[in-house]
């Protein structure tokens, strides 16, 4: 029998490093979190070769003395767990600091050359400690201002098996930049700088000042345009252990991206990548975004420590909620409530590339036959008529040809009341598809089909159509669907909520469900496939209190959206000016009218400044 023996400390540290320090970005995350926990007001980061060659983090926090520094490099030694959280009666789940395991520094020191220089406030001198892949090289005084400087060099230099799995310097730099962005976004009260060093030069990538407003900090990190294309989020809900709070910034549905990399999620100040939160965001934007588009936002969820477990993953990027369904519902409702305050807005202005395609000069010279009409317009004299006296000058052109005729109505002066209309007043229609309106601050183009599609959907909801499509259609012969026993348990618990949506099911033995009725809107649904999907949805997101499962609600919402699409004004239909204005006024009063049911914008605005630029008047 193989002998059981204790592993050497250096091997234990290298194994732990595999969990905590998988790449330069992971080491950088641990170091910046230590600086935040140390009470730093300013944190500076320097990267060389994407962090592969060097990572340096400097802060002005509380600092460490020689003894504390030596202890910090031992495994499971930390200052972030008070005595009240340690021991048989302790509650480690109440920890509020970013780090608390005490593994980061010794793990990094086991796979890199680690230099720590630190000085406590009021101390006469600082101290330096250098560890090279687990071997102590220096332990001596150092001159530096109060705070801590940590330098990591030659990561995995002596662990070639790990080194070869690292990506290119550019990819590692992108991961490091994402780490700093997320941590800086979570703490707008701290100043952050990020510099890249190479060949004797430094380049400043981020320079964020302390004390910025959350919306300002988020916009500076994600994109400056976000501030004009987003809505603030502020929502609270009581829980058995305290208050759950949701804050942040949510981008308008029409201001979206093709990838989900611009969704920043935080739980109690920790940047996380949690599937439940990502699913909640997708559910909140369900009928406002196309399937291949993703929202841009920064969400900060704060809840009592008793309601969340942050000790799930060594890197603390995943969390576990006590009431996952409640958290998901809170986020979905909070996002939808916030978007309802700005849902009549569309993305601010047309695409810049589209603007660049405007033609500034006619593509062909004006033909002569139109000139007599212009002369008549400007002089009041009909120059196409024959001369009245001998010798009178006569134009050399012939009589005007037949002119193209277009539908137009007399433009009436804009009333004082109309000045307050956000979408302005209708002036005409282009291609029988786009309404042209004049607003106080620019020119508005409206896609009549997309706009009316949203209006019809909201009318259906208000008229109770959503309740109507939930009605049951009893099956002549009930379907028996065989499932795993665990899935049957989940569906049985959710049966009451599912019945509200027209799906009537009951338990049929230990590993089967009986389907007695389907929603009237889904009469041809595959019962077995539907129940399997619902069981998976409940396993992933938890049972919803009001509907049993989110998936069924989303499917019925899709039916409503399809009904709205077929019942709306089609592109190509000629509208009168009165009809156009009626559409604009209803859009201003209808929730989520800034985007259609598929996530496309219903209107765009060309500001007067942009119009003047087109004509060189700026």
């Amino acid at each position: 029998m193989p002998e059981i023996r204790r592993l050497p400390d250096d091997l234990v540290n290298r194994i732990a490093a595999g969990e905590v320090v998988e790449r330069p970005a992971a080491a950088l995350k641990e170091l910046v979190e230590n600086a935040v926990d140390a009470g730093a007001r300013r944190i500076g980061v320097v990267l060389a070769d994407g962090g592969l060659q060097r990572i340096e983090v400097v802060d002005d926090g509380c600092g460490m003395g020689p003894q504390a520094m030596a202890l910090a490099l031992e495994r499971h030694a930390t200052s972030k767990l008070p005595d009240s959280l340690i021991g048989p009666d302790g509650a480690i789940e109440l920890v509020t600091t970013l780090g608390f395991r005490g593994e980061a520094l010794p793990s990094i020191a086991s796979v890199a050359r680690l230099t720590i220089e630190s000085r406590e406030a009021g101390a006469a001198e600082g101290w330096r400690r250098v560890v090279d892949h687990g071997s102590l090289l220096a332990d001596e005084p150092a001159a530096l201002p109060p705070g801590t400087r940590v330098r990591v060099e030659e990561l995995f230099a002596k662990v070639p098996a790990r080194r070869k799995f690292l990506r290119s310097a550019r990819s590692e730099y992108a991961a490091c930049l994402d780490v700093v962005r997320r941590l800086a976004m979570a703490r707008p009260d701290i100043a952050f700088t990020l510099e890249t060093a190479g060949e004797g030069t430094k380049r400043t990538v981020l320079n964020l000042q302390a004390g910025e407003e959350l919306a300002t900090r988020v916009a500076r990190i994600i994109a400056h345009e976000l501030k004009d294309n987003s809505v603030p989020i502020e929502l609270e809900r009581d829980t058995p252990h305290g208050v759950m709070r949701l804050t942040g910034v949510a981008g308008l549905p029409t201001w979206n991206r093709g990838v989900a990399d611009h969704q920043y999620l935080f739980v109690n100040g920790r940047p996380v990548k949690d599937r439940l939160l990502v699913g909640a965001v997708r559910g909140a934007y369900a009928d406002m975004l196309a399937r291949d588009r993703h929202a841009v936002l920064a969400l900060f969820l704060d809840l009592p420590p008793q309601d969340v477990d942050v000790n799930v993953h060594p890197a603390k990027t995943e969390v576990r909620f006590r009431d996952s369904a409640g958290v998901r519902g809170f986020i979905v409702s909070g996002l939808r409530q916030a978007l309802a305050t700005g849902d009549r807005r569309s993305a601010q202005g047309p695409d810049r590339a589209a603007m660049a395609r405007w033609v500034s000069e006619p593509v062909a010279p004006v033909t002569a036959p139109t000139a007599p009409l212009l002369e008549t317009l400007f002089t009041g004299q009909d120059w196409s008529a024959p001369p009245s006296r001998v010798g009178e000058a006569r134009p050399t052109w012939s009589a005007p040809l037949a002119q193209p005729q277009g539908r137009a109505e007399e433009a009436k002066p804009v009333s004082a009341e109309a000045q307050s209309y956000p979408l302005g007043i209708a002036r005409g229609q282009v291609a029988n598809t786009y309404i042209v309106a004049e607003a106080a601050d620019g020119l508005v183009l409206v896609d009549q089909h997309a706009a009316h599609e949203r209006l019809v959907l909201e009318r259906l909801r208000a008229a109770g159509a959503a309740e109507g499509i939930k009605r049951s259609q009893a099956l002549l012969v009930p379907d028996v669907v065989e499932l795993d026993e665990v899935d049957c348990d989940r569906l049985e618990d959710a049966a009451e909520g599912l019945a509200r949506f027209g799906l009537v099911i009951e338990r049929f033995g230990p590993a089967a469900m009986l389907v007695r009725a389907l929603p009237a809107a889904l009469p041809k649904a595959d019962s077995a496939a539907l129940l399997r999907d619902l069981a998976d949805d409940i396993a992933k997101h938890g049972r919803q209190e009001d509907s049993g499962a989110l998936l069924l609600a989303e499917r019925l919402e899709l039916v409503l959206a399809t009904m709205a699409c077929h019942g709306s004004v089609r592109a190509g239909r000629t509208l009168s000016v009165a009809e156009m204005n009626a559409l604009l006024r209803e859009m201003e009063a209808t929730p989520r009218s800034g985007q259609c049911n598929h996530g496309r914008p219903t209107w765009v605005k060309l500001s007067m400044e942009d119009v003047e630029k087109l004509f060189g008047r700026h």
Side-chain angles (χ1 to χ4, degrees):
M1 178 178 178
E3 181 183 356
I4 299 175
R5 65 186 186 279
R6 187 181 299 275
L7 296 176
D9 289 341
D10 59 340
L11 181 57
V12 171
N13 287 336
R14 287 173 59 183
I15 293 174
E19 297 178 344
V20 179
V21 188
E22 58 185 19
R23 61 191 306 187
L28 176 61
K29 173 181 177 293
E30 299 290 345
L31 298 179
V32 175
E33 286 183 349
N34 283 344
V36 172
D37 287 339
R41 306 299 301 171
R42 179 174 295 276
I43 300 175
V45 178
V46 179
L47 298 175
D49 201 21
L52 297 171
Q53 179 182 341
R54 175 165 59 96
I55 301 172
E56 186 173 320
V57 178
V58 182
D59 68 71
D60 60 353
C62 61
M64 295 181 288
Q67 294 181 347
M69 189 183 300
L71 192 58
L73 289 170
E74 295 184 10
R75 295 193 70 227
H76 304 304
T78 179
S79 63
K80 302 175 182 181
L81 283 176
D83 293 338
S84 60
L85 303 184
I86 301 175
D89 298 328
I92 191 174
E93 67 270 13
L94 298 180
V95 65
T96 57
T97 52
L98 294 178
F100 54 88
R101 291 170 177 262
E103 292 178 302
L105 289 179
S107 297
I108 295 172
S110 68
V111 292
R113 180 187 177 95
L114 178 68
T115 303
I116 301 181
E117 299 172 309
S118 188
R119 176 185 168 190
E120 295 178 298
E125 61 181 2
W127 200 262
R128 176 189 294 115
R129 195 175 180 89
V130 182
V131 181
D132 187 4
H133 290 78
S135 301
L136 180 63
L137 299 184
D139 191 20
E140 58 193 10
L144 74 159
T148 302
R149 179 189 298 121
V150 183
R151 187 164 58 251
V152 178
E153 300 170 289
E154 303 173 0
L155 185 63
F156 299 133
K158 296 183 181 180
V159 192
R162 297 291 306 279
R163 181 86 178 187
K164 69 178 182 180
F165 282 99
L166 296 179
R167 299 184 180 181
S168 65
R170 181 175 297 179
S171 297
E172 298 299 342
Y173 163 74
C176 290
L177 177 60
D178 183 66
V179 164
V180 176
R181 280 176 169 171
R182 291 178 185 273
L183 290 169
M185 199 178 295
R187 294 299 299 268
D189 57 316
I190 300 177
F192 282 84
T193 60
L194 172 61
E195 298 177 322
T196 58
E199 300 180 359
T201 61
K202 281 188 178 182
R203 181 174 66 91
T204 301
V205 180
L206 285 178
N207 187 7
L208 305 172
Q209 303 302 315
E212 294 178 322
E213 292 184 355
L214 179 61
T216 302
R217 173 66 65 91
V218 170
R220 290 192 62 187
I221 293 175
I222 297 180
H224 292 292
E225 298 85 357
L226 180 61
K227 198 167 186 180
D228 295 327
N229 294 282
S230 62
V231 293
I233 303 172
E234 186 71 40
L235 192 68
E236 291 186 355
R237 179 179 293 176
D238 292 331
T239 70
H241 300 99
V243 176
M244 181 164 53
R245 181 179 295 104
L246 183 68
T247 57
V249 176
L252 295 176
T254 49
W255 200 77
N256 51 58
R257 298 291 177 88
V259 294
D261 291 349
H262 294 81
Q263 294 180 1
Y264 297 86
L265 308 173
F266 304 85
V267 176
N268 288 352
R270 299 174 184 275
V272 298
K273 297 181 179 179
D274 189 83
R275 289 182 298 175
L276 183 141
L277 301 182
V278 172
V281 170
R282 188 170 56 249
Y285 282 86
D287 65 339
M288 293 178 277
L289 278 178
R291 291 184 179 272
D292 59 341
R293 305 301 295 179
H294 301 273
V296 179
L297 48 75
L299 291 184
F300 300 83
L301 178 66
D302 295 289
L303 66 168
Q306 298 94 328
D307 293 337
V308 59
D309 182 6
V310 300
N311 195 25
V312 176
H313 189 275
K316 299 180 290 295
T317 57
E318 299 177 8
V319 294
R320 182 184 295 119
F321 297 101
R322 182 184 298 272
D323 181 13
S324 58
V327 169
R328 191 183 195 281
F330 177 63
I331 293 175
V332 171
S333 62
L335 272 174
R336 285 188 171 270
Q337 180 177 328
L339 291 172
T341 65
D343 51 19
R344 297 169 184 83
R345 294 161 51 195
S346 180
Q348 299 299 302
D351 181 75
R352 295 294 99 184
M355 283 289 296
R357 289 193 288 270
W358 281 80
V359 179
S360 58
E361 295 180 359
V363 295
V366 178
T367 56
T370 62
L373 294 181
L374 294 177
E375 292 295 340
T376 302
L377 175 65
F378 291 125
T379 66
Q381 181 177 354
D382 185 359
W383 287 91
S384 63
S388 58
R389 296 190 302 271
V390 178
E392 181 177 344
R394 181 190 180 98
T396 57
W397 52 75
S398 59
L401 300 177
Q403 299 299 308
Q405 300 296 314
R407 180 176 59 85
E409 296 188 22
E410 181 181 357
K412 299 179 180 179
V414 180
S415 64
E417 180 183 2
Q419 293 284 356
S420 62
Y421 292 150
L423 296 182
I425 57 174
R427 290 303 192 191
Q429 190 180 22
V430 177
N432 288 341
T433 302
Y434 303 101
I435 298 172
V436 182
E438 178 189 357
D441 56 349
L443 185 69
V444 178
L445 296 176
V446 178
D447 183 333
Q448 66 187 40
H449 172 65
H452 198 242
E453 188 178 6
R454 168 60 67 179
L455 300 182
V456 172
L457 175 59
E458 298 302 328
R459 281 186 203 157
L460 288 173
R461 285 174 173 165
E467 298 300 323
I469 67 172
K470 297 175 187 177
R471 297 193 188 98
S472 295
Q473 178 172 316
L475 299 181
L476 185 61
V477 178
D479 286 343
V480 178
V481 179
E482 295 184 357
L483 298 167
D484 291 339
E485 188 172 351
V486 175
D487 288 339
C488 290
D489 292 339
R490 291 171 179 148
L491 290 170
E492 186 177 22
D493 290 341
E496 184 179 352
L498 295 174
R500 298 192 187 103
F501 280 81
L503 179 62
V504 181
I505 60 176
E506 62 183 55
R507 193 68 176 258
F508 192 72
M513 298 297 296
L514 192 68
V515 181
R516 292 194 174 276
L518 290 171
L522 304 173
K524 298 181 180 180
D526 184 339
S527 300
L530 178 60
L531 260 60
R532 281 194 296 268
D533 289 346
L534 289 174
D536 292 342
D537 181 66
I538 296 171
K540 183 177 181 180
H541 299 127
R543 182 172 62 88
Q544 306 298 306
E545 294 298 330
D546 58 342
S547 62
L550 181 73
L551 178 63
L552 186 57
E554 289 179 345
R555 288 196 179 189
L556 296 178
E557 278 290 320
L558 182 61
V559 173
L560 264 185
T562 303
M563 293 168 57
C565 182
H566 288 281
S568 59
V569 172
R570 312 303 297 180
R573 175 180 167 183
T574 302
L575 301 178
S576 68
V577 173
E579 290 174 322
M580 297 180 206
N581 279 316
L583 183 66
L584 296 179
R585 300 294 79 78
E586 188 172 358
M587 287 176 65
E588 293 167 351
T590 301
R592 291 175 285 278
S593 63
Q595 59 281 323
C596 75
N597 310 336
H598 311 291
R600 296 188 299 270
T602 59
W603 61 274
V604 295
K605 179 176 290 185
L606 191 64
S607 68
M608 290 307 302
E609 181 181 356
D610 287 334
V611 174
E612 290 174 349
K613 286 181 180 179
L614 290 174
F615 293 95
R617 296 173 64 93
H618 62 288

